[in-house]
């Protein structure tokens, strides 16, 4: 970035509550990050300037630059209306999309950068509507005051590199605290989803949330009901995929917002788990989530994280106080799988994700029947068959579900699961467990039995599959004989 230096990132206000070294550190990071994107950003800014408009890098892009984590997604704001933005970017960009144009946003791609240019705007919710009302603004100050948090209400005007920070976002960034540009009540009234964003940013950035913001979230929790399920789901996903999801989830529960968007989670707080090793199942579930994250291999895994968070939500409905003083939760995994499906459906998750997460919740206790390794090969085959493509995630979820403080017991469980995984690996090598099928296919069955396609073929296939699971692979003549013997009993 030509002529870039630390001075251009000095906050406009002289007031500062942070040591100079803390501010200068984030300033130096910002310069380095902005240098990297300067050629594309400056080129685009000059085009807007030549057309008589202004352009500024804004919001999360400035925040992430200051944190030293700016990616290739760049957000800009401008006084140009969407039709003018289209006219400017179309000859310049590699691709342009208009999916957000109703909200004043034009998207485009240039080289390796994904860019969004949004017209200065303000938006608010009508109490009877699930969609924000959008109106365009005339100044960047007007645009910044409507943003969710001060750390997202900073901008760098281009190409002159003027740092704009009317709400002291730089100070809050250095202090790692989330505040709103105006009052929290005004901000959350404009867009109630910002209450969930507070929890999401706490999880993503490990920031603290200002007390007045938390108080407003508690007082206005019911306002989240007006937000569409899709927007709530997307914020929940971003929270769960953050580096510190426990922090964000706690905030949702403590403010009462979780009671309205994920009530199964706070319902766990009063339910002691059957091991009596944790304060409650709520704390246990958050610990399982963190332990599952530690086992991830290829980056954040939303399916695994959802399954870890929800795996015990069936316990409140199945809790029983036994005559010997114990507390039981019989079949909570089955009940929990049904509850998971219902909640995820309400939040508009895809059918595939609902199926995968529900299956993991349903199977998360299956291993505990393994004991000291007395499972037959048939039981191991069924374990693999039932898990299907989710077997690797089931391994991680099951291991994560051990939160006992008893090291001897924890080590014994770990060794037992090591043994199960070794047995699975041996059987997979011998029998191709990942694609368990009967030794005869549908065409073989029809030819051998002399029947046409119909229910009888399906019943025969199912019988042969059970034989395959029980006995392992069979020679063809053995399979034919078994099929004919079974068919004789059917007639």
């Amino acid at each position: 970035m030509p002529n870039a230096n630390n001075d251009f990132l000095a906050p406009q206000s002289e007031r500062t509550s942070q040591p100079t070294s803390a501010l200068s550190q984030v300033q130096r990071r910002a310069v380095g990050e902005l240098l990297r994107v300067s050629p594309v950003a400056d080129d685009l800014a000059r085009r807007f300037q030549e057309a008589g408009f202004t352009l500024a890098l804004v919001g999360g892009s400035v925040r992430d630059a200051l944190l030293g984590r700016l990616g290739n997604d760049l957000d800009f704001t401008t006084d140009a209306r969407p039709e003018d933005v289209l006219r400017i970017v179309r000859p310049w960009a590699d691709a342009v999309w208009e999916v957000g144009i109703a909200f004043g946003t034009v998207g485009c791609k240039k080289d390796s950068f994904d860019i969004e240019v949004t017209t200065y705007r303000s938006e608010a919710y009508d109490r009877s509507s699930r969609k924000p009302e959008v109106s365009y603004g005339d100044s960047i100050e007007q645009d910044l005051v409507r943003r969710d948090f001060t750390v997202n209400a900073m901008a760098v005007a281009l190409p002159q590199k003027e740092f704009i920070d009317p709400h002291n976002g730089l100070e809050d960034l250095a202090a790692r605290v989330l505040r709103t540009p105006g009052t929290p009540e005004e901000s959350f009234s404009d867009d109630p989803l910002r209450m969930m964003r507070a929890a999401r940013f706490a999880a993503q950035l490990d920031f603290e949330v200002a007390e007045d913001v938390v108080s407003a979230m508690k007082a206005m929790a019911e306002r989240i009901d007006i937000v569409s399920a899709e927007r709530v789901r997307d914020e929940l996903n971003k929270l769960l995929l953050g580096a510190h999801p426990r922090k964000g989830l706690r905030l949702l529960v403590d403010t009462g917002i979780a009671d309205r968007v994920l009530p199964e989670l706070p319902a766990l707080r009063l339910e002691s788990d059957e091991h009596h090793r944790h304060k409650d199942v709520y704390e246990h579930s958050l610990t399982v989530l963190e332990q599952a994250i530690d086992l991830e291999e290829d980056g954040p895994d939303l399916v695994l994280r959802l399954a870890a968070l929800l795996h015990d939500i069936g316990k409140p409905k199945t809790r029983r106080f036994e005559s010997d003083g114990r507390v039981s939760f019989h079949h909570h995994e089955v009940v929990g799988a049904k509850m998971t499906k219902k909640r995820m459906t309400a939040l508009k998750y895809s059918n595939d994700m609902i199926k995968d997460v529900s299956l993991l919740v349903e199977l998360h206790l299956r291993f505990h029947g393994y004991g000291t390794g007395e499972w037959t090969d048939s039981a191991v085959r069924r374990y693999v068959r039932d898990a299907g493509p989710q077997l690797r995630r089931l391994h991680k979820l099951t291991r994560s579900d051990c939160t006992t403080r008893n090291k001897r017991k924890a080590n014994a469980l770990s060794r037992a699961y090591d043994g199960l995984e070794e047995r699975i690996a041996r059987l997979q090598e011998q029998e191709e467990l990942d694609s368990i099928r009967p030794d005869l296919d549908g065409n073989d069955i029809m030819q051998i039995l002399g029947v046409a396609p119909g229910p009888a073929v399906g019943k025969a296939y199912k019988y042969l599959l059970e034989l395959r699971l029980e006995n392992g692979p069979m020679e063809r003549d053995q399979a034919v004989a078994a099929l004919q013997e079974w068919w004789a009993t059917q007639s």
Side-chain angles (χ1 to χ4, degrees), residues 141-154:
E141 289 78 14
Q142 185 180 2
D143 182 84
L144 293 178
V145 75
R146 58 154 286 277
R147 303 225 164 216
D148 49 10
F149 302 104
T150 60
V151 296
N152 296 328
M154 299 178 285

Side-chain angles (χ1 to χ4, degrees), residues 4-17:
N5 56 64
N6 289 351
D7 293 337
F8 91 92
L9 285 176
Q12 291 177 339
S13 169
E14 293 299 321
R15 178 177 62 84
T16 179
S17 58

